[in-house]
Amino acid sequence: MQSFPSSAPGRVVILATGGTIAGTAAQPLDVLGYVAAQVGIEELVAALPGLDEQPLETEQVAQLDSKDMDIEVWRALVLRARHHLARPDVAGIVVTHGTDTLEETAYLLQRVLAPSKPLVLTAAMRPSTSLQADGPQNLIDAVNVARVAGASGVVVVMAGWLHGALDVRKTHTHRLDAFGCGDAGPLGRIDAGRLRRVRDWPHGVALGADVLDVDRWPRVEIVLSHAGASGAIVDALLAQGVDGIVAAGTGNGTLHHALEAALLRAKAEGVAVWRSSRVADGGVLSAADAVLPDSGPLTPVQARVELILQLLQCRSVRA
């Protein structure tokens, strides 16, 4: 059991990107009819007890609903996080984000930066004006986690749980406790101001932010296998010059025969094709006779980010 007060010296930098945590609704009981990304990070922080006594910096990197997250915001966020992580006076980073694409951003940040300091993403399922607003506690917890001495890597703090960036996924559409880690399980739990770690935090070798410094990122799309699926979507993507396709298959990454045939045509034409599973938990177990490679434990959206990064690396090597 580790208490938050035994924390690393230095300041925490909060990088804000919008999301429900910064959303507002006309009525305090309305948790659905709100508009995301309306409140600036300075205003959010000023309303929280105790944070004004801590050495903090805030920066508004973007202000958007995370369903609209795009490559340009990703690049800006990576570069600002890299800048602040390199500062000796910074203990850790907090990123406020929307929940819809949080798992994709977390995965990207871990793979590209693999920071030696804590980089903590947090969000909310209720807007800031709600009587059930969960953002304030999540943000306080995230700032405290960002100060944990000796911690490193990208983690997600939501509803008192710590999730690893490589495992986290949204598991519920509206519950406050809306995130999980599949088979991997959470990294820890925050209870009554104390942090209990269950397993090690993310680590790995950083790809480096320079991998993102290209004029055009590879276009990687996700297609879904389902009853009656055809190869029409794949053929349309081929005609548009897609660079990669992640197929969200049934069960253990299995594919409708018509869709699989189209994906094999795409592979023959030089498109990178991976199989994943549309099932919420459990990754794809590799089979010796598989005709298409799989993404292992990665969800379809994580696999898409990973495939983009691998294609970017290939471009860097060729250059």
Side-chain angles (χ1 to χ4, degrees), residues 34 56 70 111 115 131 147 153 162 164 166 198 200 214 243 250 270 275-276 283 302:
Y34 62 89
L56 297 175
D70 59 32
R111 290 287 285 123
L131 291 178
R147 294 188 184 283
L162 271 70
L166 302 182
V198 176
D200 291 339
V214 295
D243 299 295
T250 48
R275 292 179 302 114
S276 62
Q302 291 170 336

Side-chain angles (χ1 to χ4, degrees), residues 14-15 17-23 34 44 66 94-103 120-128 132-143 155-161 163 168 170 175-179:
I14 305 176
L15 303 177
T17 67
T20 299
I21 194 171
Y34 62 89
L44 288 177
S66 82
V94 170
V95 174
T96 60
H97 202 284
T99 61
D100 285 345
T101 56
L102 182 147
E103 61 201 85
V120 186
L121 282 83
T122 194
M125 294 296 291
R126 300 286 185 266
S128 64
Q132 294 180 304
D134 54 324
Q137 186 64 60
N138 287 342
L139 184 52
I140 291 171
D141 287 346
V143 169
V155 299
V156 172
V157 170
M158 286 288 293
W161 291 102
H163 305 289
V168 68
K170 191 171 182 178
R175 196 174 60 200
L176 296 183
D177 186 5
F179 284 80

Side-chain angles (χ1 to χ4, degrees), residues 161 186-189 196-201:
W161 291 102
L187 302 177
R189 174 73 188 171
R196 179 169 61 89
R197 299 198 211 193
V198 176
R199 59 185 179 94
D200 291 339
W201 291 14

